[in-house]
Amino acid sequence: MMTEGFTIRNTTAADWHEVRELRLEMLRDTPLGFGETFDAALAHDEAEWAMRGARGTNEHSIVVVAITPSGRWVGTMGGYIPDEATGPLLVGVYVAPDFRGGVAGVTDALLSRIEDWARTESGGLTLHVHEHNDRARAAYERRGFAATGVTEPYVLDPTTRELEMVKQLPTP
């Protein structure tokens, strides 16, 4: 899918190098946004990165990326089904700082692709966001997600919480 200034597509195992570089950028930029440390990610081998890239083409999961015409990866989002009760779960959300905001359109384009996938799996989309990640929480609220009141300890610092948010997805 081509939009204004970037293309959205699913990742593949062959994208392992770009998947790795974008993940490291994500962890440097917003460490509390993810359940992995920079050092842990740095230690992964090529096979791990290829497996992560392949998630874009696996059954019942998706990973999409936004790529500029110059080839720069500027955003990504993923989704998978952890269990039937949870249904589609939005994960790995990142947009490079210079592509954030409504004008750029990267977040909306990526999320639209994830929502299209989630509709094929269920009628809703769930996510977990760190309680101190106000920017992300506000962005999700603007896009129709609502807090459920359910929280869980943040895996890297159990003294803080992740908040569950859900969006009901009307069928087209």
Side-chain angles (χ1 to χ4, degrees):
M1 164 179 149
M2 180 64 174
T3 62
E4 190 73 30
F6 56 90
T7 301
I8 302 289
R9 71 166 176 82
N10 292 48
T11 61
T12 68
D15 294 323
W16 75 268
H17 187 265
E18 292 85 358
V19 168
R20 177 184 186 275
E21 292 308 307
L22 191 59
R23 181 68 176 187
L24 295 176
E25 178 183 326
M26 295 161 65
L27 294 169
R28 278 189 302 266
D29 181 76
T30 316
L32 63 70
F34 309 99
E36 177 178 45
T37 66
F38 181 83
D39 288 341
L42 206 52
H44 296 314
D45 63 11
E46 181 179 331
E48 170 69 16
W49 293 112
M51 183 273 302
R52 289 179 181 208
R55 291 175 180 160
T57 57
N58 288 348
E59 186 176 13
H60 304 297
S61 74
I62 186 170
V63 178
V64 292
V65 64
I67 306 170
T68 66
S70 69
R72 178 178 171 209
W73 285 35
V74 297
T76 186
M77 290 184 190
Y80 75 104
I81 312 289
D83 56 65
E84 192 174 320
T86 304
L89 184 66
L90 178 65
V91 295
V93 175
Y94 176 73
V95 175
D98 50 336
F99 284 83
R100 292 178 184 152
V103 175
V106 174
T107 302
D108 289 335
L110 289 167
L111 186 56
S112 177
R113 187 60 126 2
I114 298 295
E115 288 176 356
D116 288 346
W117 163 79
R119 276 187 196 89
T120 70
E121 302 286 344
S122 129
L125 184 59
T126 301
L127 63 85
H128 298 109
V129 61
H130 193 282
E131 64 185 344
H132 299 307
N133 194 343
D134 296 332
R135 184 188 72 230
R137 284 177 40 211
Y140 294 134
E141 288 169 354
R142 281 193 303 276
R143 288 163 178 86
F145 286 86
T148 65
V150 174
T151 68
E152 61 185 44
Y154 174 52
V155 67
L156 299 180
D157 177 5
T159 66
T160 62
R161 314 288 300 163
E162 286 197 308
L163 313 175
E164 180 182 84
M165 299 181 82
V166 173
K167 180 177 182 179
Q168 294 307 309
L169 301 172
T171 53

